[in-house]
Amino acid sequence: MIKDLTEGNPQKVLWRFTIPMFISVVFQQLYNIADSVIAGKFAGENALAAVGASYPITMIFMAIAVGSNIGCAVVISQLFGAKEYGKMKTAVFTTLLSSFVLSLVLMAAGLLGSQGLMQMIHTPENIFADGALYLRIYIGGFLFLFLYNVATGIFTSLGDSKTPLYFLIGSSLGNIALDTWFVAGFHWGVAGVAWATFIAQGIACVLALLTLIKRLRTVETKEKYEIFSFAMLRKISIIAIPSILQQSFVSVGNIFIQSLVNSFGSSVIAGYSAAIKLNTFSITCFTTLGNGVSSFTAQNLGAGKVDRAKKGLSAGVKMGLLTAVPFFIAFFIFGQNMVQLFMSDDASAVALNTGITFLKIVSPFYFVISIKLVVDGMLRGAGAMFSFMVATFTDLVLRVILSYILAAVFEATGVWLSWPVGWFIAAVLSVFFYWRGKWADKFKAE
C-alpha cells in the first residue's frame, strides 16, 4: 500500500491519494463533533460550553502533534521519492523516538499547568470545574494523540492514505459509542466525553504503530540505517519546528480569541463552541488537501520533477474549490439546522443565534481559505518554510487584533468578522510567494 506519487496522471494520482484522507477527516471530525453534540444534548448547555472553553487549549497540544506530523512527512516523502530507503527508515525511527520523548515532556507540563491555563482565558465560574476536568483527562492521553498523528504522517508520506483511514474509522466509531455510553448511559458528563476520546485514541495509536513497523519491514534497503540519528533529527526539525510554531501560534491566537469570547458569557461560549467545531470540520478538510499536495510536491521535487509538482498544485486548487461548495451550502443556508445539532431543547436563543451568525459570516470565504491552504501545502512540500510562515502569521495576527478592535464596536459579532479579513490577506500572500517561484530554485539547480 506504499505508493510512488511521482508516476501517472498528476490529477488522477492526487485524487486517489487524497480521497481516503478526506474520508479520514470526516471520521476524525465526527469524532470531535460527537464530543460537543453528546455533551450539549445529554449534559446541557453548560457542558457544551465547558468542552468548548477548553478546546483552544487542547488545540495547542494538537498543533504540536500536527506540526511534527508535517515535518516528518516532508522529509520522508522527499527521501522516498529519491529512492533513498535506508535514510528514509532512519528518518522514520528518529521521528518516532523523538516524538515519544517530546510527548511525555509536554504531557507532564500540561497536567501541571491545566488549571492555570483555564484561569488565563477567563473561563466563567459556572463551567470552570468541568472545563478543567476535561482538559486534564485530554492531556493525560496526549502521548497516544501525538504518536498516532506522527504515524499518520509517515503513512501518507509513503503514499499510503488508506491505512490511516481504516484506523480512524474504527477509532471514530468507537469514540462515538463510548461517548454515548459514558454520557447518556452512565451520566458521567464532561468526564465521560474526555475518557471516551482517551480510550479510542489510545487503541488507534497502538494499532497504527504496530502496523507501521510491520509495513517498514517490507521495504528492502541495501544500505544500513540507524534507529536514531541527530543529523536526521536536525533535518526533520528544520521543517517540523516552523510547522509546530505555525500550528502553535494559530492555537495561541485562538486562545486570545477564546478569552475574548469568554467575556460574553456561557451562552455565547456554547454557541461559539458549536460553530467553531463545524468551522474546524471545513478547515481541516482544506488542510488535509494541503497536506496531500505537500506529500505530492515533496515526492516529486525529491525526484526532480518540478513541472509535475506544479500540475499537482493546479489539481489541488480545483479540489479545494469543489470541497468548499458543500460546506458553504450547509453552513450558510442551513446554519440553524447545523447549530441545533449541538443544542438541547432548552438551549438559549443567544447560544443558537451566536452559532448561526458565526457560520453565515465565515462560510462564504471558504473558497478563499481553501486556495490559501492548498498553496501553503505546495510551499511546505518544497521546504519554503519562511514564505509559509509569513502568510500564516499574517492571518493570525490580523484575526487577533481585529477581533479586539471590532468587538469593541459590534460585541461578539465583531469577533467573527475578523476571520474573513485575515483569510483574504493571507491568501494573497501565499499565492504571491508561489508565483514568485523562489521555492523551486534549489530543485531546478539539482
Side-chain angles (χ1 to χ4, degrees), residues 187-311:
H187 305 290
W188 287 359
V190 168
V193 172
W195 280 115
T197 300
F198 183 106
I199 294 169
Q201 190 75 65
I203 293 171
C205 172
V206 172
L207 292 176
L209 290 173
L210 291 174
T211 304
L212 176 61
I213 292 170
K214 183 179 179 182
R215 189 73 50 75
L216 286 170
R217 288 176 179 169
T218 66
V219 180
E220 295 183 3
T221 57
K222 295 179 181 178
E223 68 272 37
K224 291 183 179 180
Y225 61 89
E226 300 175 76
I227 297 299
F228 183 83
S229 164
F230 280 106
M232 187 60 70
L233 178 60
R234 180 179 178 277
K235 189 173 184 178
I236 293 168
S237 297
I238 289 171
I239 304 295
I241 290 175
S243 296
I244 290 170
L245 289 174
Q246 178 261 333
Q247 297 283 336
S248 299
F249 282 139
V250 169
S251 297
V252 169
N254 288 337
I255 283 183
F256 281 104
I257 292 172
Q258 183 71 53
S259 179
L260 182 58
V261 171
N262 287 354
S263 68
F264 294 105
S266 58
S267 291
V268 171
I269 297 172
Y272 174 67
S273 175
I276 202 66
K277 283 292 179 80
L278 293 169
N279 181 67
T280 299
F281 191 170
S282 62
I283 299 303
T284 304
C285 283
F286 305 140
T287 301
T288 298
L289 178 53
N291 290 342
V293 169
S294 187
S295 292
F296 183 91
T297 300
Q299 278 201 26
N300 281 282
L301 292 181
K305 299 182 178 181
V306 176
D307 289 339
R308 181 178 169 82
K310 291 179 179 180
K311 290 177 182 177

Side-chain angles (χ1 to χ4, degrees), residues 360-403:
K360 282 191 177 292
I361 288 172
V362 303
S363 59
F365 292 86
Y366 286 160
F367 300 98
V368 174
I369 193 62
S370 69
I371 294 172
K372 178 199 180 300
L373 292 173
V374 169
V375 176
D376 283 352
M378 173 71 159
L379 295 172
R380 189 171 56 231
M385 300 310 294
F386 176 77
S387 300
F388 167 71
M389 291 179 69
V390 168
T392 301
F393 291 155
T394 299
D395 169 25
L396 171 64
V397 171
L398 281 174
R399 273 199 290 130
V400 173
I401 293 173
L402 286 173
S403 290

Side-chain angles (χ1 to χ4, degrees), residues 34-86:
D35 286 352
S36 294
V37 169
I38 291 170
K41 287 287 187 185
F42 296 105
E45 187 176 295
N46 281 348
L48 173 60
V51 172
S54 60
Y55 182 65
I57 299 173
T58 65
M59 285 299 96
I60 290 181
F61 290 87
M62 175 64 85
I64 297 170
V66 171
S68 300
N69 169 322
I70 292 167
C72 74
V74 169
V75 173
I76 293 168
S77 290
Q78 289 179 353
L79 293 171
F80 183 70
K83 308 293 190 293
E84 296 182 15
Y85 298 131

Side-chain angles (χ1 to χ4, degrees), residues 69-198:
N69 169 322
I70 292 167
C72 74
V74 169
V75 173
I76 293 168
S77 290
Q78 289 179 353
L79 293 171
F80 183 70
K83 308 293 190 293
E84 296 182 15
Y85 298 131
K87 290 182 180 178
M88 181 200 75
K89 285 191 175 184
T90 297
V92 169
F93 290 117
T94 297
T95 296
L96 291 175
L97 286 173
S98 55
S99 296
F100 177 77
V101 173
L102 179 59
S103 63
L104 289 179
V105 172
L106 291 170
M107 189 169 70
L111 289 172
L112 290 172
S114 58
Q115 193 97 351
L117 288 169
M118 293 297 289
Q119 290 172 340
M120 184 183 71
I121 61 172
H122 309 296
T123 306
E125 268 187 46
N126 62 320
I127 61 172
F128 186 92
D130 277 346
L133 175 61
Y134 178 87
L135 185 58
R136 282 197 301 274
I137 298 171
Y138 180 94
I139 293 172
F142 181 61
L143 172 66
F144 300 129
L145 174 71
F146 197 119
L147 291 177
Y148 174 78
N149 271 275
V150 167
T152 298
I154 295 169
F155 278 122
T156 55
S157 68
L158 300 177
D160 179 5
S161 56
K162 292 183 179 179
T163 299
L165 169 62
Y166 301 145
F167 287 124
L168 195 53
I169 289 174
S171 179
S172 300
L173 294 177
N175 184 71
I176 293 169
L178 290 171
D179 265 336
T180 306
W181 190 22
F182 292 165
V183 180
F186 292 167
H187 305 290
W188 287 359
V190 168
V193 172
W195 280 115
T197 300
F198 183 106

